[in-house]
Amino acid sequence: MKHLSDIEIIDSVLQGNANDYSLLISRYKHKAFSLLKRMLKNELDAEEVLQDCFVKAFFALKSFKREAKFSTWFYRIVYNSGVTKLSGKRRKIEQEMLSIDNEDNPLTLSVPEKEFTQEKNELLNLAIQELPENYSVVITLFYLESMSCEEISKIINTSVNNVKVLLHRSRTALKEIISQKHLEKELL
Amino acid sequence: MKHLTIDELNRLVDNELSQQEKIVVEQHLSECSFCSDESKSFKSINSLLIEQHEEKAPDGIEILIM
């Protein structure tokens, strides 16, 4: 079966073959889900936002300007939807925290000790989830999506230099988390 | 001995050091076990991130959307 480019799929969808949109979903669902799960740190929220992103992108396909790659355009939708969801979650948490005394909450991996024997990839995901949201976004787009710093800068709306700074800081922070959690032996 | 900065270690991993900087950094790494270990650690983090796998989206998401 011929491999269709993103643009060819979009053209087909816009010509009335709406079912072809499932090809784009299949192509991007895992990576977009990975990004959202790392941003939202919750599987159900990530799934809900992911569905929403594909629906939004479907209805906005006509407005997609082909100057940028579809992936860049789509990940902007994903990133912005993730940020919107996060701000809603933060508001909710702030309201809940009003009635709770602040406590020191040291950085911890929220898994029981026994799960530390899980596969390397799962341990890495857990460590990445401890990163601040902007760090995990940059690390995910750069490494999982193989995006350049320039593409990432367009998605998160910042300068290329700032993306590089975020990338450096996120690697440094990840190294510290791995060290704090004594995961060097398992991961490095 | 002045150690390498985090920025230098990161740029070493990203292969972004100038030729001149690279010579200075490699000379330092050959003499400083602390920075040499740090450099190995950053390279390992980079390899780990390169090798990572994406997470799988839940099954049937196409059906839910379409």
Side-chain angles (χ1 to χ4, degrees), chain A:
Chain A
M1 191 176 153
K2 192 190 162 207
H3 178 86
L4 297 173
S5 69
D6 289 351
I7 294 295
E8 285 171 320
I9 296 170
I10 291 165
D11 284 340
S12 174
V13 173
L14 292 176
Q15 282 161 19
N17 304 310
N19 283 341
D20 283 353
Y21 189 62
S22 65
L23 297 172
L24 281 179
I25 298 175
S26 300
R27 194 167 288 176
Y28 289 100
K29 64 180 180 181
H30 298 306
K31 287 188 168 73
F33 180 72
S34 301
L35 178 63
L36 286 167
K37 195 175 163 195
R38 287 178 177 181
M39 285 180 80
L40 303 172
K41 307 182 196 313
N42 177 299
E43 192 149 337
L44 285 177
D45 285 344
E47 186 179 348
E48 180 197 317
V49 176
L50 180 65
Q51 287 177 29
D52 187 41
C53 289
F54 279 118
V55 172
K56 272 187 208 165
F58 179 82
F59 286 109
L61 267 189
K62 274 184 193 164
S63 66
F64 166 57
K65 294 186 178 65
R66 292 148 194 247
E67 298 144 6
K69 289 202 285 191
F70 170 77
S71 58
T72 307
W73 180 79
F74 177 64
Y75 281 117
R76 280 191 74 164
I77 293 175
V78 174
Y79 173 73
N80 289 332
S81 301
V83 168
T84 304
K85 180 74 178 179
L86 266 181
S87 56
K89 280 177 80 173
R90 281 184 187 131
R91 271 199 304 276
K92 197 178 168 203
I93 289 167
E94 278 164 15
Q95 284 163 0
E96 286 169 0
M97 289 300 285
L98 284 175
S99 59
I100 301 171
D101 289 338
N102 273 337
E103 290 173 13
D104 275 345
N105 189 12
L107 197 60
T108 53
L109 286 175
S110 53
V111 290
E113 193 74 23
K114 64 181 173 63
E115 287 185 26
F116 273 42
T117 56
Q118 284 175 348
E119 289 182 6
K120 213 173 174 178
N121 208 59
E122 285 184 43
L123 281 176
L124 175 63
N125 275 329
L126 290 169
I128 288 174
Q129 285 196 14
E130 296 289 329
L131 291 171
E133 166 222 325
N134 53 349
Y135 289 6
S136 58
V137 166
V138 168
I139 244 179
T140 304
L141 292 174
F142 187 80
Y143 286 101
L144 262 189
E145 324 292 340
S146 305
M147 285 187 174
S148 66
C149 291
E150 193 178 350
E151 282 175 293
I152 297 170
S153 74
K154 286 175 189 160
I155 291 167
I156 64 172
N157 200 23
T158 189
S159 68
V160 175
N161 273 341
N162 198 30
V163 172
K164 284 185 184 174
V165 169
L166 286 170
L167 184 62
H168 289 185
R169 287 184 184 166
S170 52
R171 275 199 298 245
T172 308
L174 189 60
K175 181 174 164 292
E176 281 168 18
I177 290 168
I178 289 171
S179 167
Q180 278 170 9
K181 298 297 151 200
H182 309 292
L183 292 172
E184 295 99 328
K185 201 176 158 193
E186 288 88 344
L187 288 177
L188 301 182

Side-chain angles (χ1 to χ4, degrees), chain B:
Chain B
M1 185 188 286
K2 195 178 160 220
H3 291 305
L4 296 178
T5 64
I6 297 289
D7 179 60
E8 284 169 325
L9 288 164
N10 269 295
R11 290 198 295 128
L12 175 69
V13 169
D14 289 333
N15 212 13
E16 283 183 346
L17 295 172
S18 68
Q19 201 56 36
Q20 186 62 34
E21 287 173 318
K22 207 172 173 183
I23 291 166
V24 174
V25 164
E26 283 178 356
Q27 175 68 32
H28 179 82
L29 289 176
S30 68
E31 296 163 353
C32 175
S33 59
F34 175 80
C35 287
S36 178
D37 287 346
E38 284 289 282
S39 151
K40 282 177 195 154
S41 189
F42 271 99
K43 283 177 182 168
S44 297
I45 295 265
N46 190 50
S47 303
L48 181 69
L49 288 165
I50 289 169
E51 288 165 12
Q52 67 179 313
H53 306 300
E54 63 195 15
E55 298 218 33
K56 296 286 171 213
D59 290 335
I61 197 156
E62 289 91 340
I63 296 163
L64 289 169
I65 296 162
M66 303 293 293

